[in-house]
Amino acid sequence: MGCGRAILCVIFPPLAVLDRGCGAVVLTFILTCIGWLPGVIAAIVFNSKD
């Protein structure tokens, strides 16, 4: 995960996981709606898996 992707995870988590598939985007969006921090954590977890 690059520096730009990490910044994107913090600013707008669903956009950061856009290339990971529909399930990741939906899950991250739901977690972001519940609270900003769970969405950021989910985005970082999805992007750290390679």
Side-chain angles (χ1 to χ4, degrees):
M1 178 169 52
C3 185
R5 181 66 64 106
I7 292 171
L8 194 59
C9 284
V10 173
I11 294 173
F12 193 65
L15 188 60
V17 296
L18 204 58
D19 61 342
R20 301 292 180 190
C22 183
V25 174
V26 170
L27 181 62
T28 307
F29 181 74
I30 290 171
L31 287 172
T32 303
C33 287
I34 292 172
W36 174 75
L37 189 59
V40 170
I41 292 170
I44 291 173
V45 167
F46 278 123
N47 281 318
S48 65
K49 294 181 181 179
D50 283 332

